[in-house]
Amino acid sequence: MQWAERYEQLLPKFKAQNKTALAKMISLLEDNYLQTWEIISRLHSDIQPKNSYVIGVTGSPGVGKSSFISRLVSFYSNKGQNIGIILIDPSSPFSGGAFLGDRVRMFDLTNSSNVYIRSIASRGAMGGVCNSIYDIIDVMKAFGFDTIIIETVGTGQSEIDIFYACDTTLLILSPDSGDEIQIYKAGIMEIADFYIVNKIDLPNSKRFLMYLENYLGSQNEDHKKVFGVSSIENKGFEKVYEWLESSREYFQNSNLKENLRKKSRVKNYLFHLIENFLEDYPLENQDTDSLKKDVIAFMCKKEGNNGNQN
Amino acid sequence: MQWAERYEQLLPKFKAQNKTALAKMISLLEDNYLQTWEIISRLHSDIQPKNSYVIGVTGSPGVGKSSFISRLVSFYSNKGQNIGIILIDPSSPFSGGAFLGDRVRMFDLTNSSNVYIRSIASRGAMGGVCNSIYDIIDVMKAFGFDTIIIETVGTGQSEIDIFYACDTTLLILSPDSGDEIQIYKAGIMEIADFYIVNKIDLPNSKRFLMYLENYLGSQNEDHKKVFGVSSIENKGFEKVYEWLESSREYFQNSNLKENLRKKSRVKNYLFHLIENFLEDYPLENQDTDSLKKDVIAFMCKKEGNNGNQN
């Protein structure tokens, strides 16, 4: 039981708020994906997880998500909160993770003692879904962050997983992104709980704000809010912070997403299992039918004899 | 065995090249996802599938994929080929399939007797992967199309599935799309076997073509070709057609993707199985652990007693 030994070694430092131990605990999960559920379950019995507020930040590339988060987190940090940040890298299986470097550099927060940044790539050749998002959130809750912020780069599928995993979701929009129409078409407007118009220093921002408020007003939904900010001029973050804090309990206690989240979590775990099995599978002259049977046999063996009756 | 009856009813018309029967055969698969493999296997023993050439067409939104395909297919059609087209709709689970309508209208090919268009949505609430792409290709091969063209809208994940499913992949680029940089970052350049610069009627197209050829030249890969076309002026399609036809056998006989395709197919089928099971699952006061066990039990039961020895 190699993972259990590593876990026991890490635990005291993890409890002592050591960030290297936090990073290693996440890596432990990634290295032992077959034991994910056991590790999380052990962790949450050893340490009462904090009821952290999980905020998703999404939006098209180029709207300024990273600079927005950077400003917001400075604000939170100054208020004494501990913040965990998860950056989801949509790196293609072909180009690798080059994209992430750009974003990490945008954060000058890494030196702040109460901020932790973890970047995860939506993995490898066999799939793009970010499988481990729920696990990382669980580890971060055990570590005791007040707030956890998850950033994705605004392409379809990852949005939906974020929506399930987060208590609330912010959509960042920019008057100069030129993709308003795409946004409406792709339907990512619907997943957000509130909207940040970044770059309100730009001349055409007022018109864009009005347009957006009209659109959302006509949708007539509760709890849909619009805020204008400028990351460059560091304006508007107080209001965003206040609204987030005042609605913290509302979103945390909302059970709307509970069932979706359970299903999403199970689905992600099983997909992860299948992808990893297939990735390592030495495929030689085998037809798809035998391959399918091998995957199923593996899953039944892996999950079947684990206290399961019938 | 309701599917078997419907199948027997459809088969004679399907064999007689009736397009309504083709549409219904695809729907039969969609309605009976648990029997997908049996149906395909039956179909391919009843009709020898054609060795159709499967061409993927991808690129960012707005580069003109639909008008490109429309022109190319007219060209193929005039040469006497039968063409099947699959449009993949990236509709979000929230906004539904509004996007697809726009694209279908762009094709004025539906009246052509040797062209068939099928649109499929990347399904429902639980996932965005297009699960049934392999099955639809199989049905179309049985129907006897010379060439099958698959169009996606150029967002990350679907590109990769296209890459596996198709014999060759075309990336459409446009000098005015303004997303050259995004393309390089996202790495979709790497999946294409050749490149179409659409809108060469635009003034800045020459510079863009040179830039692209330089980029690809420095990559020093074989079989990477660049073509310029103008859908508006109906120029350049002869060359694309000639290259596609001359390399047809090369790409069909290339075994490079064979293992990836097998894995991808099995993965897609299993994901489909899991998603559909979860979607319909009445989740009441159940924890994720029992949910997971239920999914596994379903899979083992479904796939385990099908001639599988231990």
Side-chain angles (χ1 to χ4, degrees):
Chain A
M1 289 193 88
Q2 215 208 323
W3 73 261
E5 282 167 41
R6 276 175 66 195
Y7 174 87
E8 289 303 330
Q9 279 173 359
L10 283 174
L11 193 63
K13 286 185 186 165
F14 186 88
K15 278 183 173 170
Q17 298 282 300
N18 179 308
K19 280 185 195 164
T20 310
L22 167 59
K24 285 184 178 171
M25 192 65 86
I26 295 171
S27 301
L28 183 74
L29 282 169
E30 288 173 345
D31 297 345
N32 298 276
Y33 72 94
L34 290 177
Q35 282 74 40
T36 307
W37 289 38
E38 289 97 307
I39 299 172
I40 295 290
S41 158
R42 173 91 70 97
L43 186 61
H44 281 194
S45 73
D46 285 340
I47 310 168
Q48 176 69 31
K50 194 154 190 166
N51 188 18
S52 321
Y53 189 26
V54 184
I55 300 170
V57 176
T58 187
S60 301
V63 295
K65 288 183 293 298
S66 298
S67 51
F68 168 81
I69 293 176
S70 186
R71 288 290 189 188
L72 186 68
V73 166
S74 293
F75 204 94
Y76 266 79
S77 173
N78 291 338
K79 300 270 181 183
Q81 283 208 17
N82 289 310
I83 311 283
I85 302 174
I86 305 171
L87 304 177
I88 297 174
D89 181 11
S91 58
S92 93
F94 304 98
S95 67
F99 188 55
L100 200 59
D102 299 348
R103 294 158 74 210
V104 171
R105 276 194 294 279
M106 293 183 72
F107 291 93
D108 51 355
L109 306 160
T110 35
N111 291 324
S112 173
S113 68
N114 47 1
V115 177
Y116 173 81
I117 301 178
R118 176 81 184 196
S119 59
I120 49 173
S122 50
R123 324 175 24 107
M126 292 302 291
V129 186
C130 172
N131 293 302
S132 47
I133 186 73
Y134 291 96
D135 308 320
I136 294 174
I137 291 173
D138 275 344
V139 175
M140 284 192 166
K141 283 185 171 182
F143 195 76
F145 288 112
D146 300 297
T147 300
I148 297 165
I149 295 176
I150 305 178
E151 189 207 310
T152 54
V153 290
T155 43
Q157 190 49 36
S158 49
E159 308 315 304
I160 294 152
D161 281 324
I162 273 215
F163 171 76
Y164 297 145
C166 297
D167 295 313
T168 187
T169 305
L170 285 64
L171 177 63
I172 314 285
L173 299 159
S174 161
D176 75 340
S177 65
D179 59 358
E180 295 89 342
I181 299 153
Q182 288 302 336
I183 287 162
Y184 290 102
K185 272 191 178 169
I188 67 171
M189 292 301 288
E190 284 80 354
I191 74 167
D193 298 302
F194 75 115
Y195 305 88
I196 304 287
V197 176
N198 202 358
K199 310 183 190 175
I200 49 161
D201 44 287
L202 292 176
N204 49 343
S205 60
K206 277 217 174 97
R207 204 173 132 261
F208 184 79
L209 261 170
M210 268 177 60
Y211 183 50
L212 183 62
E213 275 165 351
N214 262 335
Y215 174 82
L216 294 168
S218 68
Q219 304 288 93
N220 199 25
E221 287 183 69
D222 291 335
H223 304 287
K224 293 270 179 188
K225 298 271 178 188
V226 177
F227 297 92
V229 302
S230 165
S231 299
I232 288 173
E233 298 178 356
N234 199 9
K235 275 184 188 160
F237 290 91
E238 178 85 35
K239 275 193 177 171
V240 175
Y241 170 80
E242 279 170 7
W243 188 82
L244 274 171
E245 287 306 299
S246 70
S247 56
R248 179 181 277 258
E249 280 187 34
Y250 167 80
F251 283 113
Q252 285 190 319
N253 295 330
S254 158
N255 281 322
L256 287 170
K257 295 178 189 168
E258 200 48 39
N259 280 348
L260 291 173
R261 197 176 293 174
K262 281 181 192 169
K263 288 183 176 184
S264 176
R265 175 152 215 170
V266 168
K267 186 197 75 171
N268 278 353
Y269 172 75
L270 295 175
F271 282 16
H272 200 170
L273 216 61
I274 293 170
E275 283 182 339
N276 276 278
F277 180 81
L278 283 171
E279 213 166 35
D280 299 337
Y281 197 90
L283 201 57
E284 301 287 346
N285 303 318
Q286 201 169 14
D287 61 32
T288 42
D289 223 49
S290 335
L291 179 58
K292 185 184 70 172
K293 285 195 203 318
D294 284 353
V295 182
I296 297 279
F298 158 74
M299 292 181 79
C300 297
K301 199 181 160 198
K302 161 80 185 82
E303 299 293 331
N305 59 7
N306 212 357
N308 188 18
Q309 62 281 18
N310 193 25
Chain B
M1 293 194 89
Q2 216 209 322
W3 74 261
E5 283 168 40
R6 276 175 66 196
Y7 174 86
E8 289 303 332
Q9 280 172 0
L10 283 174
L11 193 63
K13 287 184 184 165
F14 186 89
K15 278 183 172 170
Q17 297 282 301
N18 179 306
K19 280 185 196 165
T20 311
L22 167 59
K24 283 183 179 172
M25 193 65 87
I26 296 171
S27 301
L28 183 74
L29 283 168
E30 288 173 346
D31 296 344
N32 298 276
Y33 71 94
L34 289 177
Q35 281 75 39
T36 307
W37 288 38
E38 289 97 306
I39 299 172
I40 295 290
S41 158
R42 174 91 69 98
L43 186 62
H44 280 192
S45 73
D46 286 339
I47 310 168
Q48 176 67 34
K50 194 155 191 167
N51 189 17
S52 323
Y53 189 27
V54 184
I55 301 170
V57 176
T58 188
S60 300
V63 295
K65 288 183 295 298
S66 298
S67 50
F68 168 81
I69 293 176
S70 185
R71 288 288 189 191
L72 185 68
V73 167
S74 292
F75 203 93
Y76 265 79
S77 173
N78 291 337
K79 300 269 182 183
Q81 282 208 16
N82 288 310
I83 311 282
I85 303 174
I86 305 172
L87 304 176
I88 297 174
D89 181 12
S91 59
S92 94
F94 303 99
S95 67
F99 188 55
L100 200 57
D102 300 349
R103 291 158 76 209
V104 172
R105 276 193 294 279
M106 292 182 73
F107 291 93
D108 51 355
L109 307 161
T110 36
N111 291 325
S112 174
S113 67
N114 47 1
V115 177
Y116 172 80
I117 301 178
R118 176 80 185 197
S119 59
I120 49 172
S122 50
R123 330 176 15 113
M126 293 304 291
V129 186
C130 173
N131 294 302
S132 47
I133 186 73
Y134 292 95
D135 309 320
I136 295 174
I137 290 173
D138 275 344
V139 175
M140 284 190 165
K141 284 185 170 180
F143 195 77
F145 289 112
D146 300 297
T147 300
I148 297 165
I149 296 177
I150 305 179
E151 188 209 309
T152 53
V153 291
T155 44
Q157 189 48 35
S158 49
E159 308 315 304
I160 295 151
D161 281 325
I162 272 212
F163 171 76
Y164 297 145
C166 297
D167 295 314
T168 186
T169 305
L170 285 64
L171 178 63
I172 315 285
L173 298 159
S174 162
D176 74 341
S177 66
D179 58 1
E180 295 90 342
I181 299 154
Q182 288 301 335
I183 287 162
Y184 291 102
K185 272 190 177 168
I188 68 172
M189 293 300 288
E190 285 81 355
I191 75 167
D193 298 302
F194 74 114
Y195 304 87
I196 304 288
V197 176
N198 202 359
K199 309 184 190 176
I200 50 162
D201 44 287
L202 291 177
N204 49 343
S205 59
K206 277 219 175 94
R207 204 172 133 261
F208 184 77
L209 262 168
M210 269 177 60
Y211 183 49
L212 183 62
E213 275 164 351
N214 262 334
Y215 174 83
L216 294 169
S218 67
Q219 304 288 95
N220 199 23
E221 287 183 70
D222 290 335
H223 303 288
K224 294 269 179 190
K225 297 273 178 188
V226 177
F227 297 93
V229 302
S230 165
S231 300
I232 287 173
E233 298 178 355
N234 198 10
K235 275 185 189 158
F237 290 92
E238 178 85 34
K239 275 194 177 169
V240 175
Y241 170 80
E242 278 169 8
W243 188 82
L244 274 171
E245 287 306 299
S246 71
S247 55
R248 179 181 278 258
E249 279 186 34
Y250 167 79
F251 282 115
Q252 284 190 319
N253 295 331
S254 157
N255 282 322
L256 286 171
K257 294 178 189 170
E258 201 46 40
N259 281 348
L260 291 174
R261 196 176 294 175
K262 282 181 192 168
K263 288 184 176 183
S264 176
R265 175 153 215 169
V266 168
K267 187 196 75 170
N268 278 353
Y269 172 74
L270 295 175
F271 282 15
H272 199 170
L273 217 62
I274 294 170
E275 284 182 340
N276 275 278
F277 180 80
L278 283 170
E279 212 164 34
D280 299 335
Y281 196 89
L283 201 57
E284 302 287 346
N285 304 318
Q286 203 170 12
D287 61 32
T288 44
D289 222 49
S290 335
L291 179 58
K292 186 185 69 172
K293 284 194 202 322
D294 284 353
V295 182
I296 297 280
F298 157 77
M299 292 181 78
C300 297
K301 201 182 157 195
K302 161 80 185 80
E303 300 292 332
N305 57 9
N306 214 355
N308 188 17
Q309 61 284 16
N310 198 17

